[in-house]
Amino acid sequence: MQIHQLPYADPGVPDVRSGTRFLIWLGRRQLGGQVRSLLWGLVLQLSIAGLPVGVGLAVQAVIDHDGGRLALGCGVLVALGVGIAVGDTMLHRTAVTNWITAAARVQQLLARRTAELGALLTRRVAAGEVVAVSTGDVEKIGWFVEAFSRFAAAVLTLLAVCVGIAVYEPALGLVVAVGVPALALAALPLLPRATRRADEQREKAGKATELASDTVAGLRVLRGIGGEELFLGRYRTASQEVRRAAVRSARMWALIAAVQVLLPGLLLIAVVAYGARLALDGTISVGALVTVYGAVALTHHPLRNVEEIAMAYAFSRPSAKRAARVLALSRVTEPAGGDREARAAGDLYDPLTGLIAPAGLLTAVVCGDPDAAGRLAERLGGHPAEPGDDHVSVRLGGVPLDELSLDAARTAVLVQDKEPVLLSGTLRELLDVPASGAVRPEDALAAAQCDDVLDALAQASVETDGDPMRTRITERGRSLSGGQRQRLALARSLVTDPEVLVLDEPTSAVDSHTESRVAAGVRKLRAGATTVVLASSPLVLDLADRVVLVHEGRAVAHGTHRELLAEEPRYRAVVTRETEDELAATTAGLEALEGETA
C-alpha cells in the first residue's frame, strides 16, 4: 500500500482483545511495507557497520605500503557510502509510508466505528478520549509501526557485527559478542517504570483534553454564569499535572538514554585497552584493531534503534489499548443478511419496555426521567444504551433492528438527540443528507418553523445576496440560539423522511407558541408515517395520535393526552409537574370521591 492509494477500500477487522494484539494485527496488515523497510534498513545499517572494514584495509595498506590494497579499501568506502546514501533515503521513504498508512488505517477504523455507533459512542466513551484516540494516539501507534522494521534491521545488524568480529578476530570477538547483547538488554530493568510513567502521562493528558473539549463546548453557558475562571483554573491544574507527569516520564527516558551512551563507551574502552595489548604482543595487526574499534563504535547507531523501539512501544501500547477499547464497541449483533436486508416496515415494538408505536401514527412517549428518555430513544434506534440490553432488540414490523444491516437500520429508523450537532457549512450542505426525496428542504424548514432562522442567516452575510441557503453556519451552529439550532436539526431529520422518526425533546429550547406550531408542522408533514416523540409538553402531547406513559422502565398506560390526564395520576404528575404531596392529595381525593359515589 502506497500513500497515493489511500484510503483503504477495506481497512480490515482489527484484533481488539488488547493493545498489544492490536499493534501486532496492524503490523501484519502492513507486512509488505515492513519487509521493504527492513531490507532498506539492512542496507543502511550494514553499510554503516562495514565502514570500519574499509578503514582497516586502508590503514593496514598504508602501513604495508601496498597501493593495491589501499585502492581496494578506498573502493570499499565509496561503495559503502553509496549504500548509506541510498539506504537512508529509501528507509526514510518506506518508514514514513508505513507510519502514514498505519495511521490512516486506524483513522478509517475509528471513523467507521464512530459512524456506526453515532451518539451512542459518547455514552460509552468520554468525548475527550475519542478526541485523544483520533489525534495523538493515532500518531503514536503509527510511530511504533514505523520504528519496528528499523529495530528489526538494527538487531540483525548487531548479530552480523558480533558474528563478523568473532570470525575476523576471535581474540576480540568474544568480548564484543558478550558486550553488545548486554548493552542491548541493559535498559530492560528500567522499561517497566518508564512505561508506567508514560501511561500516567497519557492518562492525565487524556483527562486534560476531555476537560478542555467539555469547557469549549459549554463556553457560552460558562460565560452566562460567569464560570470561565473556575473552569480555567481547573484546566490549569490539569495541565500542570500533565506537565509534572511528562517531566517524570522524561527523566526515566533520559536515564535510559544515558545508559545507552555510557555502557557503549565503557565497552569501547575495554575493547581498545584489550586490543592495544594484543596489538603490542603482535597477536593482531593495527588494521584489525582499527576495524574492530570502528565496528564497536558504530554499534551505537543500531543500539539507538533498540532504545527507540522501547520508547515507541511504551507510548504506543496505551494508545493502542485506548483505540482497541473504542473499536471494540459495536452494535448488538452482526447483521443476519438474507431477507433481513430488505427495508423493514410496520409497528415499532420494544420488548424491554413494552412500548408499541403503531405504523403511520404520531406516538408521544412520556418518561419522568429525562435520562431514561434518552436511553429509550437510543434503544428505539437499534443502539442498546445499557450492556444488559444487548440481548433484547427493538423490532420494526417483527424484524429485529440488530439483524438489519447498518444502512437498512439507518434508513428504517432515525433518532434525533435532544442536543443535535450542526456541522459547519452552508445551510444547503446541512440539508444535503441521504433522503428518500419525498420531502423538500423548503417543506422541512417550514414544518420546523425556521422562518426567523432563515431571516437571520440571510442578514448574516452580504456575500450570499440574501440567500440563506448559501450562508455558512459556524461550527456547531454557535452563532445561533439553542432553539434555532434545534429547529434546523429537526428540519434536517424531516428531510431524510425515514420509515420511523424518533425525536427526543425536539422543542425543549423554544417558546410555547413556537412549540405548538412546530408540533403541528411535524404532524402535518409526517402524516401517514411513523413518528415517535419523547416529550412531556402538553402542547406536543395534545397533538399526538397516541400517548404512552413509561414508568420505571415499563410502558404502564396508553391513550390520548386528555384520557391519560383524567385517568392516570402518574401521567398527570409528569405532565403538570405535580409534586409528590400534591399527587398524594389528588389520589386521596379521587379515592374518597369514588368511595362516596359507591
Side-chain angles (χ1 to χ4, degrees):
M1 172 63 71
Q2 299 298 317
I3 296 177
H4 70 272
Q5 296 173 309
L6 294 174
Y8 293 95
D10 178 15
V13 180
D15 186 344
V16 294
R17 288 176 290 177
S18 67
T20 302
R21 289 179 181 273
F22 179 65
L23 289 174
I24 293 174
W25 174 85
L26 200 58
R28 291 176 60 186
R29 293 289 293 186
Q30 299 190 209
L31 189 58
Q34 293 287 349
V35 171
R36 285 191 294 272
S37 186
L38 170 63
L39 294 177
W40 286 117
L42 286 174
V43 171
L44 172 63
Q45 301 278 11
L46 292 176
S47 296
I48 294 174
L51 288 175
V53 176
V55 173
L57 286 174
V59 169
Q60 192 62 42
V62 171
I63 294 174
D64 297 339
H65 303 286
D66 188 339
R69 293 182 63 189
L70 178 61
L72 175 62
C74 292
V76 171
L77 290 175
V78 170
L80 292 174
V82 172
I84 292 173
V86 175
D88 194 18
T89 301
M90 296 306 298
L91 173 61
H92 180 74
R93 179 185 178 89
T94 55
V96 170
T97 299
N98 286 338
W99 188 332
I100 294 176
T101 52
R105 187 186 299 274
V106 178
Q107 286 178 329
Q108 275 190 252
L109 290 170
L110 290 171
R112 290 191 177 193
R113 192 50 47 91
T114 302
E116 176 184 336
L117 295 175
L120 181 62
L121 178 64
T122 53
R123 290 183 182 270
R124 297 185 177 181
V125 181
E129 183 170 353
V130 176
V131 173
V133 170
S134 59
T135 54
D137 286 338
V138 168
E139 180 180 352
K140 288 179 173 56
I141 292 171
W143 177 27
F144 175 79
V145 173
E146 175 264 337
F148 184 79
S149 55
R150 291 189 285 109
F151 162 71
V155 170
L156 293 177
T157 300
L158 289 174
L159 292 176
V161 168
C162 292
V163 173
I165 292 178
V167 174
Y168 180 65
E169 284 295 342
L172 288 174
L174 180 61
V175 177
V176 176
V178 173
V180 170
L183 294 180
L185 300 176
L188 284 181
L190 301 175
L191 286 180
R193 179 175 295 182
T195 302
R196 287 195 299 271
R197 293 190 179 184
D199 290 348
E200 180 184 355
Q201 176 193 352
R202 295 299 304 161
E203 180 181 357
K204 292 184 179 298
K207 291 181 179 179
T209 302
E210 179 181 350
L211 179 61
S213 62
D214 291 344
T215 302
V216 171
L219 191 57
R220 175 176 293 186
V221 177
L222 292 176
R223 286 176 176 172
I225 63 175
E228 305 103 307
E229 290 299 324
L230 174 62
F231 275 82
L232 184 59
R234 291 181 179 178
Y235 183 74
R236 285 197 186 104
T237 301
S239 64
Q240 288 301 312
E241 291 180 357
V242 175
R243 181 189 63 81
R244 287 190 290 269
V247 170
R248 283 169 48 84
S249 178
R251 285 175 180 169
M252 284 304 303
W253 292 111
L255 178 60
I256 292 175
V259 170
Q260 293 295 323
V261 172
L262 175 63
L263 295 184
L266 295 177
L267 176 62
L268 196 59
I269 293 173
V271 168
V272 171
Y274 184 53
R277 180 181 300 175
L278 294 177
L280 291 174
D281 294 342
T283 305
I284 64 173
S285 64
V286 175
L289 176 59
V290 171
T291 299
V292 174
Y293 166 80
V296 175
L298 292 177
T299 56
H300 178 71
H301 189 272
L303 284 173
R304 296 293 297 180
N305 291 114
V306 176
E307 175 193 346
E308 181 189 14
I309 195 64
M311 182 180 294
Y313 178 73
F315 279 92
S316 65
R317 187 181 61 84
S319 296
K321 183 178 179 181
R322 278 189 292 272
R325 184 163 59 245
V326 174
L327 294 174
L329 301 176
S330 64
R331 299 175 71 211
V332 183
T333 61
E334 292 298 322
D339 58 352
R340 301 299 194 187
E341 297 300 318
R343 180 168 178 170
D347 296 345
L348 185 69
Y349 171 61
D350 178 20
L352 191 65
T353 61
L355 170 66
I356 299 177
L361 299 183
L362 172 60
T363 301
V365 180
V366 176
C367 292
D369 182 2
D371 292 334
R375 292 192 294 270
L376 177 58
E378 293 292 345
R379 278 190 49 77
L380 295 178
H383 299 292
E386 302 293 339
D389 299 350
D390 290 358
H391 64 287
V392 183
S393 174
V394 172
R395 297 174 178 271
L396 179 59
V399 179
L401 289 182
D402 62 353
E403 293 186 7
L404 296 173
S405 68
L406 182 60
D407 290 340
R410 289 284 170 82
T411 303
V413 182
L414 175 66
V415 178
Q416 177 179 301
D417 294 335
K418 59 168 63 72
E419 296 179 359
V421 175
L422 302 182
L423 301 179
S424 58
T426 65
L427 180 56
R428 181 174 286 107
E429 291 171 342
L430 175 69
L431 300 178
D432 184 15
V433 293
S436 66
V439 178
R440 298 184 305 162
E442 295 80 4
D443 296 334
L445 290 168
Q449 303 300 313
C450 294
D451 293 342
D452 62 319
V453 185
L454 297 178
D455 292 339
L457 292 176
Q459 298 173 9
S461 176
V462 296
E463 300 176 357
T464 61
D465 297 326
D467 184 2
M469 300 299 290
R470 294 167 53 197
T471 303
R472 292 194 65 81
I473 298 174
T474 57
E475 180 188 5
R476 292 180 177 267
R478 298 188 189 282
S479 60
L480 303 173
S481 68
Q484 290 175 329
R485 290 197 301 270
Q486 199 172 56
R487 281 176 284 157
L488 282 180
L490 175 59
R492 180 180 58 188
S493 299
L494 293 173
V495 166
T496 61
D497 188 35
E499 182 73 23
V500 178
L501 177 60
V502 180
L503 304 173
D504 186 6
E505 295 288 355
T507 56
S508 60
V510 301
D511 60 80
S512 300
H513 179 63
T514 305
E515 183 178 39
S516 177
R517 291 192 299 156
V518 169
V522 171
R523 177 184 173 87
K524 180 179 179 181
L525 189 66
R526 294 281 300 172
T530 307
T531 307
V532 180
V533 181
L534 289 95
S536 58
S537 169
L539 296 174
V540 177
L541 300 174
D542 195 39
L543 292 175
D545 298 311
R546 186 172 187 266
V547 181
V548 179
L549 172 65
V550 176
H551 181 69
E552 295 183 352
R554 297 294 300 174
V556 296
H558 63 85
T560 65
H561 167 61
R562 298 178 185 274
E563 290 172 350
L564 292 177
L565 200 61
E567 301 172 3
E568 178 54 61
R570 290 171 296 186
Y571 177 83
R572 186 167 55 252
V574 176
V575 174
T576 63
R577 309 296 194 273
E578 286 186 359
T579 64
E580 293 183 0
D581 293 339
E582 292 172 338
L583 177 62
T586 301
T587 304
L590 290 174
E591 292 176 351
L593 182 61
E594 291 176 356
E596 292 177 0
T597 303

